[in-house]
Amino acid sequence: MNQSDYLLLVLGMGVVTYLPRWVPLLFLSRRQLPQWFVEWLDLLPVAILSALLAPELVTHGVPRCLSLSQAKLWVALPTFVFALKTKSLGGTVLVGMALYWVAGKIF
């Protein structure tokens, strides 16, 4: 591939990434959405984050097996409690990193 092919590839990826975000904003930004729909949309980030984290925290190996004795899970629990109490992203990251470091020394 030459440079113009790479440039077209990057531009194409940008268009494909940008359009699915821009089109709904264009049509929905001037409309009043029903309250139930707005509340439902508020739940999506939590659901997506849970779907991404839960398998990593409670399973391991190939094929995946349920395992509740992983250090990652035991680090995530107090980090989650810290996040709930403080609502601090930076503090949560620091606490999680510190606990993960301590867990690495213990396990």
Side-chain angles (χ1 to χ4, degrees), residues 1-102:
M1 287 176 74
N2 59 28
Q3 285 188 333
S4 62
D5 291 341
Y6 280 115
L7 182 61
L8 285 175
L9 180 66
V10 169
L11 288 174
M13 290 188 303
V15 168
V16 168
T17 302
Y18 185 71
L19 276 180
R21 291 168 174 82
W22 180 74
V23 170
L25 284 175
L26 177 69
F27 290 111
L28 296 176
S29 64
R30 296 185 191 123
R31 294 183 179 191
Q32 183 70 28
L33 298 174
Q35 186 61 32
W36 66 267
F37 189 66
V38 172
E39 291 173 1
W40 180 77
L41 287 174
D42 285 343
L43 298 175
L44 282 178
V46 174
I48 291 170
L49 186 61
S50 299
L52 291 172
L53 287 178
E56 184 64 30
L57 293 176
V58 297
T59 63
H60 79 284
V62 176
R64 293 218 171 251
C65 300
L66 183 65
S67 173
L68 299 179
S69 62
Q70 296 189 83
K72 292 182 282 187
L73 175 63
W74 297 107
V75 167
L77 293 175
T79 304
F80 181 69
V81 171
F82 180 84
L84 280 177
K85 293 222 181 247
T86 65
K87 311 268 191 239
S88 166
L89 177 62
T92 302
V93 170
L94 289 176
V95 166
M97 290 173 60
L99 290 175
Y100 195 75
W101 178 77
V102 170

